[in-house]
Amino acid sequence: MIAKKTEYQVTFVNIRDVKPSPENDEIYGSIEHDEQMKNLIDSITRRGLEEPIIITADNYILSGHRRYYACDFLGFEKIPVRVKKNVKRLGNTDFHKLLIEYNPQRIKGPSTLLKEALLRFSDEEPTALLKRHEDIEVNVEAEFVRVSGAKSIRSISLKKQAFLQATKKVVASLRPFWPLSVRQVHYALLNDPPFISTPKKSQYNAEHYRYRNDKTSYNALIELLTQARYLGEVSMSAIDDPTRPSFLNDGFVSVSEFITNEMENFLTGYHRDMQYDQPRHIEMLGEKNTLLQILKPVCEEFYIPLTLARGYASIPVWRDMARRFAKSKKKAMTLIVVSDYDPEGFDLADDAIRSLRDLWHVEVDYCRVGVNRNQIDQLGLHIDFNPAKETSSRLKGFIERTGGKETWEVEALDPTYLQKEVRNAITANMDMEIYRQDVDQQNSDAAELAEFRRQMADELGL
């Protein structure tokens, strides 16, 4: 027979000889007769105390405070304990951390979890996170080039003032979706086309200068927006080129700035994963970067992963989607797609489904929010002034599928309308009762974190 190790032996001791650890209340709060405590008392009444209490060599509780209070409430004279003979409370500077290690099973609120985290990492050396830099002498040869000439911006002429005012009005109306693309401004102008120019004398009639859905008007808009931004007529933040991102490598100018930044952001970014409890895994795929400001707010609202393909996606995109699906442990996935109504827009969506289904073995359903034929007919969308290329290998299949060569860009859809359609597609694939419960829990957790943040600020005198 194998002898039991003494650390696993259970003995019965007088309940008055066992002492609750004061540090337990500091970390987990005082034990009250809440619903969980009532259930524990009922369980011990029916079945007895099945799990012994763990105590230190000097009789302080390491694990089992709630069970101890339940037994005391029920009038137990003796209770089963396991003694950690190599651990004492008195004089132990790591006792707070020991309590955390011995209580991983506790159901804990946000503030309790935060206290545990702060205690767990309180001894970490900040300098361990810093890299030691050696001074290295480097010889650099650089050629400096003198640039001649000058660049200037012409003022916007009087005959283009109507065009300017109409453009500024459109940019202002789309303020929630800044930064915009030029194409978004272009399609919005077509709803009430202004005059590009209003010359006093001309061989043409006035309609000749009306803004149209063609390349000439589009190029005129590009030129106007360039002038308007440099001259301060339109905000520099209003228009952006998302295909040319910048990557900044900033640091802090002082420890004071770092501490101020950390305290301002302390406990302010909590959000629950609203998709964790949902029955289906949902992903969003947009064809181009110009969709970012439209799709991102809706995806953030429901915690949906958003991918902007910028044309045909490569292996890492499908790999990451497949990994997220596998991590979700769900049985099915819905891919919501937003793309142009053209050969490439249709085919890239088909390619997404084939890649996930056939190469990554993901059970995926396909939901194409736009642009679709119903939207074109019902909304009277403006056609793309760049028709499908005759040389496109996908043109024949596109014609067979749609019955024509005409194409429509997703920018032709009103941003607010597109957000509504995306939101409808997402909620149609969700259990909204579960979603509302998660929102309520998030609000409750956030309120508790905010209160803990206030208490910390008070203690620190901030």
Side-chain angles (χ1 to χ4, degrees), residues 109-151:
S111 60
T112 297
L113 291 168
L114 181 60
K115 288 176 183 176
E116 286 190 349
L118 290 171
L119 288 167
R120 188 176 292 117
F121 299 111
S122 61
D123 291 338
E124 182 178 347
E125 286 290 337
T127 53
L129 303 176
L130 302 178
K131 294 181 179 179
R132 183 171 176 267
H133 293 276
E134 304 261 345
D135 289 332
I136 302 175
E137 185 178 343
V138 180
N139 295 321
V140 179
E141 294 183 5
E143 181 181 355
F144 295 93
V145 180
R146 183 178 296 278
V147 178
S148 60
K151 186 172 184 177

Short mmCIF file of all heavy atoms in Angstrom, two decimals, residues 109-151:
data_model
loop_
_atom_site.label_atom_id
_atom_site.label_comp_id
_atom_site.label_asym_id
_atom_site.label_seq_id
_atom_site.Cartn_x
_atom_site.Cartn_y
_atom_site.Cartn_z
N GLY A 109 -15.91 39.39 -9.25
CA GLY A 109 -16.30 40.56 -10.01
C GLY A 109 -15.09 41.28 -10.56
O GLY A 109 -13.95 40.95 -10.24
N PRO A 110 -15.31 42.32 -11.38
CA PRO A 110 -14.20 43.05 -12.00
C PRO A 110 -13.21 43.63 -11.00
O PRO A 110 -12.00 43.52 -11.19
CB PRO A 110 -14.91 44.15 -12.79
CG PRO A 110 -16.26 43.61 -13.07
CD PRO A 110 -16.61 42.78 -11.87
N SER A 111 -13.70 44.24 -9.91
CA SER A 111 -12.78 44.87 -8.97
C SER A 111 -11.92 43.83 -8.26
O SER A 111 -10.74 44.05 -7.98
CB SER A 111 -13.54 45.71 -7.94
OG SER A 111 -14.44 44.91 -7.20
N THR A 112 -12.50 42.66 -7.96
CA THR A 112 -11.74 41.59 -7.32
C THR A 112 -10.65 41.07 -8.25
O THR A 112 -9.50 40.86 -7.85
CB THR A 112 -12.68 40.42 -6.94
OG1 THR A 112 -13.62 40.89 -5.97
CG2 THR A 112 -11.90 39.26 -6.36
N LEU A 113 -11.00 40.87 -9.51
CA LEU A 113 -10.02 40.40 -10.49
C LEU A 113 -8.89 41.41 -10.63
O LEU A 113 -7.73 41.04 -10.79
CB LEU A 113 -10.71 40.17 -11.84
CG LEU A 113 -11.68 38.99 -11.88
CD1 LEU A 113 -12.49 39.03 -13.16
CD2 LEU A 113 -10.93 37.67 -11.78
N LEU A 114 -9.24 42.70 -10.60
CA LEU A 114 -8.21 43.73 -10.73
C LEU A 114 -7.28 43.72 -9.52
O LEU A 114 -6.06 43.83 -9.65
CB LEU A 114 -8.85 45.10 -10.90
CG LEU A 114 -7.87 46.26 -11.08
CD1 LEU A 114 -7.02 46.04 -12.32
CD2 LEU A 114 -8.61 47.57 -11.16
N LYS A 115 -7.85 43.59 -8.33
CA LYS A 115 -7.02 43.53 -7.12
C LYS A 115 -6.05 42.36 -7.21
O LYS A 115 -4.87 42.48 -6.87
CB LYS A 115 -7.90 43.39 -5.88
CG LYS A 115 -8.67 44.65 -5.51
CD LYS A 115 -9.59 44.37 -4.34
CE LYS A 115 -10.44 45.59 -3.97
NZ LYS A 115 -11.40 45.28 -2.89
N GLU A 116 -6.55 41.21 -7.68
CA GLU A 116 -5.68 40.05 -7.82
C GLU A 116 -4.54 40.34 -8.80
O GLU A 116 -3.38 40.00 -8.54
CB GLU A 116 -6.49 38.85 -8.33
CG GLU A 116 -7.38 38.23 -7.29
CD GLU A 116 -7.96 36.91 -7.75
OE1 GLU A 116 -7.83 36.59 -8.94
OE2 GLU A 116 -8.55 36.21 -6.91
N ALA A 117 -4.89 40.97 -9.91
CA ALA A 117 -3.86 41.26 -10.92
C ALA A 117 -2.81 42.22 -10.39
O ALA A 117 -1.61 42.03 -10.61
CB ALA A 117 -4.52 41.84 -12.18
N LEU A 118 -3.25 43.25 -9.67
CA LEU A 118 -2.31 44.22 -9.11
C LEU A 118 -1.38 43.56 -8.10
O LEU A 118 -0.18 43.83 -8.06
CB LEU A 118 -3.07 45.37 -8.46
CG LEU A 118 -3.81 46.31 -9.42
CD1 LEU A 118 -4.69 47.27 -8.64
CD2 LEU A 118 -2.83 47.08 -10.29
N LEU A 119 -1.94 42.66 -7.28
CA LEU A 119 -1.11 41.97 -6.30
C LEU A 119 -0.17 40.98 -6.96
O LEU A 119 0.98 40.82 -6.57
CB LEU A 119 -2.01 41.23 -5.29
CG LEU A 119 -2.75 42.11 -4.30
CD1 LEU A 119 -3.82 41.30 -3.59
CD2 LEU A 119 -1.77 42.71 -3.29
N ARG A 120 -0.65 40.32 -8.00
CA ARG A 120 0.14 39.29 -8.66
C ARG A 120 1.38 39.86 -9.33
O ARG A 120 2.44 39.25 -9.37
CB ARG A 120 -0.72 38.56 -9.70
CG ARG A 120 -0.05 37.33 -10.30
CD ARG A 120 -0.98 36.61 -11.24
NE ARG A 120 -2.10 36.00 -10.55
CZ ARG A 120 -3.38 36.33 -10.73
NH1 ARG A 120 -3.69 37.29 -11.58
NH2 ARG A 120 -4.33 35.73 -10.06
N PHE A 121 1.23 41.08 -9.88
CA PHE A 121 2.34 41.65 -10.64
C PHE A 121 3.03 42.81 -9.92
O PHE A 121 3.82 43.53 -10.51
CB PHE A 121 1.85 42.13 -12.00
CG PHE A 121 1.28 41.03 -12.84
CD1 PHE A 121 -0.07 40.98 -13.13
CD2 PHE A 121 2.11 40.04 -13.32
CE1 PHE A 121 -0.58 39.95 -13.90
CE2 PHE A 121 1.60 39.00 -14.11
CZ PHE A 121 0.25 38.96 -14.39
N SER A 122 2.74 42.99 -8.65
CA SER A 122 3.27 44.16 -7.93
C SER A 122 4.79 44.12 -7.79
O SER A 122 5.44 45.15 -7.67
CB SER A 122 2.63 44.26 -6.54
OG SER A 122 2.92 43.10 -5.79
N ASP A 123 5.40 42.92 -7.82
CA ASP A 123 6.83 42.81 -7.63
C ASP A 123 7.61 42.79 -8.94
O ASP A 123 8.83 42.63 -8.95
CB ASP A 123 7.17 41.52 -6.85
CG ASP A 123 6.68 41.61 -5.40
OD1 ASP A 123 6.49 42.75 -4.93
OD2 ASP A 123 6.49 40.56 -4.79
N GLU A 124 6.93 42.91 -10.05
CA GLU A 124 7.62 42.88 -11.33
C GLU A 124 8.53 44.09 -11.48
O GLU A 124 8.13 45.22 -11.22
CB GLU A 124 6.62 42.85 -12.48
CG GLU A 124 7.26 42.75 -13.85
CD GLU A 124 6.23 42.68 -14.95
OE1 GLU A 124 5.05 42.45 -14.61
OE2 GLU A 124 6.59 42.86 -16.10
N GLU A 125 9.74 43.87 -11.89
CA GLU A 125 10.70 44.96 -12.04
C GLU A 125 10.41 45.73 -13.32
O GLU A 125 10.45 45.15 -14.41
CB GLU A 125 12.13 44.39 -12.12
CG GLU A 125 12.66 43.91 -10.78
CD GLU A 125 12.93 45.08 -9.84
OE1 GLU A 125 13.12 46.20 -10.32
OE2 GLU A 125 12.94 44.86 -8.62
N PRO A 126 10.09 47.03 -13.22
CA PRO A 126 9.85 47.81 -14.43
C PRO A 126 11.04 47.80 -15.37
O PRO A 126 10.88 47.82 -16.58
CB PRO A 126 9.58 49.22 -13.90
CG PRO A 126 9.18 49.03 -12.47
CD PRO A 126 9.93 47.84 -12.00
N THR A 127 12.24 47.75 -14.80
CA THR A 127 13.43 47.80 -15.65
C THR A 127 13.57 46.55 -16.51
O THR A 127 14.30 46.55 -17.49
CB THR A 127 14.69 47.96 -14.79
OG1 THR A 127 14.70 46.93 -13.79
CG2 THR A 127 14.72 49.31 -14.12
N ALA A 128 12.85 45.48 -16.14
CA ALA A 128 12.93 44.26 -16.94
C ALA A 128 12.31 44.45 -18.31
O ALA A 128 12.55 43.66 -19.22
CB ALA A 128 12.24 43.11 -16.21
N LEU A 129 11.46 45.48 -18.44
CA LEU A 129 10.80 45.74 -19.71
C LEU A 129 11.61 46.65 -20.61
O LEU A 129 11.22 46.93 -21.74
CB LEU A 129 9.42 46.37 -19.45
CG LEU A 129 8.47 45.58 -18.56
CD1 LEU A 129 7.20 46.38 -18.33
CD2 LEU A 129 8.15 44.24 -19.19
N LEU A 130 12.74 47.16 -20.11
CA LEU A 130 13.55 48.10 -20.88
C LEU A 130 14.73 47.39 -21.53
O LEU A 130 15.31 46.47 -20.94
CB LEU A 130 14.07 49.23 -19.97
CG LEU A 130 13.01 50.04 -19.24
CD1 LEU A 130 13.67 51.07 -18.34
CD2 LEU A 130 12.09 50.73 -20.24
N LYS A 131 15.08 47.81 -22.71
CA LYS A 131 16.24 47.24 -23.40
C LYS A 131 17.47 48.14 -23.16
O LYS A 131 17.35 49.36 -23.14
CB LYS A 131 15.98 47.13 -24.90
CG LYS A 131 14.90 46.13 -25.26
CD LYS A 131 14.72 46.08 -26.78
CE LYS A 131 13.67 45.08 -27.16
NZ LYS A 131 13.45 45.02 -28.60
N ARG A 132 18.60 47.51 -22.98
CA ARG A 132 19.85 48.27 -22.80
C ARG A 132 20.42 48.61 -24.17
O ARG A 132 20.59 47.74 -25.01
CB ARG A 132 20.84 47.42 -22.02
CG ARG A 132 22.14 48.15 -21.71
CD ARG A 132 22.97 47.32 -20.75
NE ARG A 132 24.25 47.92 -20.51
CZ ARG A 132 25.35 47.63 -21.19
NH1 ARG A 132 25.28 46.77 -22.18
NH2 ARG A 132 26.49 48.21 -20.92
N HIS A 133 20.64 49.92 -24.39
CA HIS A 133 21.15 50.37 -25.68
C HIS A 133 22.63 50.71 -25.55
O HIS A 133 23.04 51.45 -24.66
CB HIS A 133 20.38 51.61 -26.16
CG HIS A 133 18.96 51.31 -26.48
ND1 HIS A 133 18.56 50.80 -27.69
CD2 HIS A 133 17.83 51.44 -25.75
CE1 HIS A 133 17.26 50.63 -27.69
NE2 HIS A 133 16.78 51.00 -26.53
N GLU A 134 23.45 50.16 -26.42
CA GLU A 134 24.87 50.46 -26.47
C GLU A 134 25.10 51.56 -27.51
O GLU A 134 24.45 51.60 -28.55
CB GLU A 134 25.65 49.21 -26.88
CG GLU A 134 25.40 48.02 -25.98
CD GLU A 134 26.51 47.86 -24.97
OE1 GLU A 134 27.57 48.49 -25.17
OE2 GLU A 134 26.30 47.15 -23.99
N ASP A 135 26.04 52.46 -27.23
CA ASP A 135 26.43 53.47 -28.21
C ASP A 135 27.27 52.80 -29.28
O ASP A 135 28.30 52.19 -28.96
CB ASP A 135 27.21 54.60 -27.55
CG ASP A 135 26.32 55.46 -26.68
OD1 ASP A 135 25.12 55.53 -26.99
OD2 ASP A 135 26.83 56.04 -25.72
N ILE A 136 26.83 52.90 -30.51
CA ILE A 136 27.55 52.29 -31.61
C ILE A 136 27.94 53.38 -32.60
O ILE A 136 27.10 54.16 -33.03
CB ILE A 136 26.69 51.22 -32.32
CG1 ILE A 136 26.27 50.14 -31.31
CG2 ILE A 136 27.43 50.59 -33.49
CD1 ILE A 136 25.32 49.12 -31.88
N GLU A 137 29.21 53.40 -32.95
CA GLU A 137 29.68 54.39 -33.92
C GLU A 137 29.40 53.86 -35.32
O GLU A 137 29.82 52.77 -35.69
CB GLU A 137 31.17 54.63 -33.74
CG GLU A 137 31.69 55.74 -34.66
CD GLU A 137 33.16 56.00 -34.44
OE1 GLU A 137 33.68 55.56 -33.38
OE2 GLU A 137 33.78 56.62 -35.30
N VAL A 138 28.63 54.64 -36.07
CA VAL A 138 28.26 54.23 -37.43
C VAL A 138 28.68 55.32 -38.40
O VAL A 138 28.38 56.50 -38.20
CB VAL A 138 26.73 54.00 -37.53
CG1 VAL A 138 26.36 53.58 -38.95
CG2 VAL A 138 26.28 52.94 -36.54
N ASN A 139 29.36 54.91 -39.44
CA ASN A 139 29.73 55.84 -40.50
C ASN A 139 28.65 55.82 -41.58
O ASN A 139 28.33 54.77 -42.13
CB ASN A 139 31.07 55.44 -41.12
CG ASN A 139 32.21 55.58 -40.13
OD1 ASN A 139 32.24 56.53 -39.35
ND2 ASN A 139 33.13 54.63 -40.14
N VAL A 140 28.06 56.97 -41.83
CA VAL A 140 26.97 57.07 -42.79
C VAL A 140 27.37 57.97 -43.94
O VAL A 140 27.87 59.08 -43.73
CB VAL A 140 25.69 57.63 -42.12
CG1 VAL A 140 24.57 57.75 -43.14
CG2 VAL A 140 25.27 56.75 -40.96
N GLU A 141 27.18 57.47 -45.14
CA GLU A 141 27.40 58.29 -46.32
C GLU A 141 26.05 58.67 -46.90
O GLU A 141 25.24 57.81 -47.22
CB GLU A 141 28.21 57.51 -47.36
CG GLU A 141 29.64 57.20 -46.91
CD GLU A 141 30.44 56.50 -47.99
OE1 GLU A 141 29.90 56.36 -49.11
OE2 GLU A 141 31.59 56.12 -47.72
N ALA A 142 25.78 59.96 -46.99
CA ALA A 142 24.49 60.41 -47.48
C ALA A 142 24.70 61.46 -48.56
O ALA A 142 25.58 62.32 -48.45
CB ALA A 142 23.65 61.00 -46.35
N GLU A 143 23.88 61.39 -49.58
CA GLU A 143 23.96 62.36 -50.67
C GLU A 143 22.78 63.32 -50.55
O GLU A 143 21.62 62.90 -50.53
CB GLU A 143 23.90 61.66 -52.02
CG GLU A 143 24.00 62.62 -53.20
CD GLU A 143 23.91 61.90 -54.53
OE1 GLU A 143 23.87 60.65 -54.52
OE2 GLU A 143 23.88 62.58 -55.56
N PHE A 144 23.06 64.59 -50.42
CA PHE A 144 22.01 65.59 -50.31
C PHE A 144 21.78 66.23 -51.68
O PHE A 144 22.72 66.67 -52.35
CB PHE A 144 22.41 66.67 -49.28
CG PHE A 144 22.52 66.11 -47.89
CD1 PHE A 144 23.76 65.66 -47.40
CD2 PHE A 144 21.42 65.99 -47.07
CE1 PHE A 144 23.87 65.14 -46.13
CE2 PHE A 144 21.52 65.47 -45.80
CZ PHE A 144 22.75 65.04 -45.32
N VAL A 145 20.52 66.26 -52.07
CA VAL A 145 20.15 66.73 -53.41
C VAL A 145 19.46 68.08 -53.30
O VAL A 145 18.55 68.26 -52.49
CB VAL A 145 19.23 65.71 -54.11
CG1 VAL A 145 18.85 66.22 -55.49
CG2 VAL A 145 19.91 64.34 -54.18
N ARG A 146 19.88 69.02 -54.11
CA ARG A 146 19.23 70.32 -54.14
C ARG A 146 18.04 70.26 -55.10
O ARG A 146 18.19 69.82 -56.24
CB ARG A 146 20.21 71.40 -54.59
CG ARG A 146 19.62 72.82 -54.57
CD ARG A 146 20.67 73.82 -55.00
NE ARG A 146 21.77 73.86 -54.05
CZ ARG A 146 21.74 74.55 -52.91
NH1 ARG A 146 20.65 75.25 -52.57
NH2 ARG A 146 22.78 74.56 -52.10
N VAL A 147 16.86 70.68 -54.63
CA VAL A 147 15.64 70.66 -55.43
C VAL A 147 15.34 72.08 -55.90
O VAL A 147 15.23 73.00 -55.08
CB VAL A 147 14.45 70.11 -54.62
CG1 VAL A 147 13.18 70.17 -55.46
CG2 VAL A 147 14.74 68.69 -54.17
N SER A 148 15.19 72.26 -57.18
CA SER A 148 14.90 73.57 -57.73
C SER A 148 13.42 73.69 -58.06
O SER A 148 12.68 72.71 -58.03
CB SER A 148 15.73 73.81 -59.00
OG SER A 148 15.42 72.83 -59.97
N GLY A 149 12.98 74.89 -58.40
CA GLY A 149 11.58 75.11 -58.74
C GLY A 149 10.73 75.36 -57.51
O GLY A 149 11.20 75.29 -56.38
N ALA A 150 9.46 75.64 -57.73
CA ALA A 150 8.52 75.92 -56.63
C ALA A 150 7.16 75.34 -56.95
O ALA A 150 6.81 75.14 -58.12
CB ALA A 150 8.42 77.43 -56.41
N LYS A 151 6.40 75.07 -55.91
CA LYS A 151 5.05 74.55 -56.07
C LYS A 151 4.07 75.47 -55.36
O LYS A 151 4.32 75.89 -54.23
CB LYS A 151 4.94 73.13 -55.49
CG LYS A 151 3.62 72.45 -55.75
CD LYS A 151 3.65 70.99 -55.32
CE LYS A 151 2.35 70.29 -55.66
NZ LYS A 151 2.39 68.84 -55.31
#
